[in-house]
Amino acid sequence: MPEALRVALSTDDYRWYPFLPEALRVVQELGLTLEELGETPLGLEILEAAKSRVLTVIESGAYPPPSDDYRLEVSVFTTALLILSQVGDRALTEKFAVAFSKRVFESIERDSSKRPELLLYLATVFGWSFRVEGGGVSVHFKDYVYAQPEFTGPWKLVNRQVSGGYVWVTWREFARLLQTGVKKHVARLVDSAGVDPSAVPERLYAAVEEVSRRWAEARSEVLAYARAGYRKGDASVFPPCIRALLEEIQSGKNLTHSARFALASFLLSIGFSVDETLEVFKASPDYREDLARYQVEHIAGLRGSRTKYTPYKCDNMRSLGLCRWSCQGVKHPLQFFYRAVRGRPPRVT
């Protein structure tokens, strides 16, 4: 590591950043084998805690705070990755990675002012190219695009200060990029955590089965509702932009804020209740009931200024990157819907 990036890591850092190479070596030092997971008191404690972490993410969308025992925390984290690898569902991995990265972001934000060198070290772990300058950090544009949380507004590359292939960001923005970096790094770790299924011990296999069953139940409820929603309104009466957003959220993708507003305001405008709209958003990897309800109720005009918001116009949808179609004679998604309901769906190209 270059002298400028030298950072002293503590065991407390291992609790918050269990994906660091130094933290992962803790598991190796414990000498716990795959066969001992669930077969020894320590292995059983680790396995149950790891299963609980994944189930908590499935049920609440939140990753629990780290335990006080850094060895246990790192071991639980790596075992959770192993369980996810065996389940082999990309949407579940995405949901777990999003929840974990949000938990880690708490520490990243805290360290951004006290230990900026730690943030730089995280970037080296992710393999990013960067340089510290101008009171912030310049990140190579490839790494910036890889980690940018939004593709519109201030995060859009054309709106950034770019010099010599590097994008300048503030320290706070750098922390936000790192949150995305954590999410993608965890997904890669899950991909690399695979083991031969025939070598999986019985108790670990039972944990994988339970997680798979609970995840399937959660997904089937959401997908069943989404399908019912399509049948209720007839899929052909939804404009292609809204159908695309529904398909993305059902596949476990994390929608941007503007996409969520577009989808929620559309569903509410055609008669979905707040609870019905929330059911659709439960498929989102970072879903939180309290925040989602607050936002949907605000869009529905039940909070704040009591103004019920309507969906973006087609021009706005295109400028936000949410529409790539041309619907003949239509300037608003609701216009498409009402025409289709009357049996005159617009021609789409």
Side-chain angles (χ1 to χ4, degrees):
M1 186 190 315
E3 182 68 26
L5 298 183
R6 182 160 296 173
V7 57
L9 297 173
S10 68
T11 55
D12 197 48
D13 290 325
Y14 298 167
R15 294 172 53 240
W16 283 97
Y17 307 103
F19 54 86
L20 290 177
E22 294 83 350
L24 294 175
R25 278 197 285 275
V26 169
V27 178
Q28 298 173 349
E29 292 170 2
L30 280 177
L32 192 67
T33 65
L34 186 64
E35 291 72 21
E36 290 173 320
L37 274 178
E39 301 301 330
T40 64
L42 177 59
L44 184 59
E45 181 180 1
I46 291 171
L47 180 58
E48 287 300 313
K51 183 181 71 176
S52 176
R53 296 288 171 89
V54 180
L55 292 179
T56 299
V57 169
I58 291 175
E59 293 165 2
S60 70
Y63 192 88
S67 64
D68 293 334
D69 185 333
Y70 75 93
R71 291 188 179 89
L72 180 64
E73 184 60 34
V74 178
S75 300
V76 168
F77 172 74
T78 54
T79 304
L81 300 184
L82 182 59
I83 291 174
L84 291 169
S85 175
Q86 289 299 310
V87 173
D89 187 294
R90 175 59 64 181
L92 177 57
T93 296
E94 176 78 7
K95 188 178 184 70
F96 180 90
V98 167
F100 179 79
S101 67
K102 287 192 171 185
R103 175 63 64 193
V104 174
F105 185 62
E106 296 175 15
S107 186
I108 293 177
E109 268 200 312
R110 188 168 56 245
D111 286 326
S112 64
S113 58
K114 298 178 180 178
R115 303 168 67 201
E117 69 278 8
L118 181 58
L119 273 62
L120 299 176
Y121 179 56
L122 292 178
T124 64
V125 170
F126 301 152
W128 294 359
S129 178
F130 60 86
R131 58 196 184 208
V132 179
E133 59 186 5
V137 184
S138 289
V139 182
H140 194 276
F141 81 95
K142 287 184 179 178
D143 300 320
Y144 176 86
V145 171
Y146 174 78
Q148 68 185 107
E150 294 272 356
F151 291 91
T152 59
W155 287 104
K156 200 171 183 177
L157 197 56
V158 295
N159 295 327
R160 305 302 307 192
Q161 178 183 329
V162 183
S163 177
Y166 283 78
V167 183
W168 186 85
V169 296
T170 66
W171 280 101
R172 180 170 178 74
E173 289 172 331
F174 188 55
R176 185 64 185 85
L177 291 175
L178 288 172
Q179 181 185 349
T180 306
V182 169
K183 182 187 74 172
K184 297 193 174 185
H185 186 68
V186 167
R188 286 200 300 271
L189 289 177
V190 171
D191 289 339
S192 62
V195 296
D196 182 354
S198 63
V200 174
E202 186 175 340
R203 291 203 177 184
L204 175 57
Y205 182 73
V208 171
E209 276 198 328
E210 182 176 351
V211 168
S212 298
R213 178 176 55 78
R214 298 278 287 276
W215 175 239
E217 289 173 357
R219 294 281 292 169
S220 64
E221 290 173 4
V222 173
L223 292 176
Y225 179 81
R227 286 194 291 270
Y230 274 111
R231 287 196 296 271
K232 178 180 176 182
D234 186 348
S236 63
V237 302
F238 285 69
C241 54
I242 298 299
R243 289 203 300 269
L245 294 180
L246 282 169
E247 289 168 1
E248 286 185 14
I249 205 168
Q250 288 166 21
S251 67
K253 290 186 178 179
N254 215 10
L255 299 185
T256 63
H257 290 297
S258 54
R260 294 178 196 208
F261 174 85
L263 181 56
S265 57
F266 178 86
L267 295 176
L268 292 167
S269 294
I270 64 171
F272 275 43
S273 68
V274 168
D275 287 336
E276 287 172 333
T277 303
L278 287 172
E279 284 297 322
V280 173
F281 279 87
K282 280 184 177 178
S284 183
D286 63 348
Y287 177 80
R288 271 187 55 185
E289 168 79 24
D290 55 341
L291 290 179
R293 179 173 293 279
Y294 177 83
Q295 292 167 347
V296 170
E297 287 183 350
H298 188 82
I299 296 171
L302 302 177
R303 290 178 178 270
S305 63
R306 303 288 174 178
T307 300
K308 183 176 180 179
Y309 292 87
T310 56
Y312 297 120
K313 297 178 181 177
C314 294
D315 286 344
N316 299 126
M317 292 286 282
R318 292 191 188 92
S319 66
L320 291 168
L322 301 177
C323 179
R324 59 180 184 278
W325 298 270
S326 177
C327 303
Q328 189 175 34
V330 170
K331 295 183 179 179
H332 197 285
L334 289 177
Q335 192 179 8
F336 182 110
F337 174 77
Y338 291 124
R339 284 191 184 183
V341 168
R342 292 197 299 269
R344 294 185 295 144
R347 180 170 176 268
V348 179
T349 57

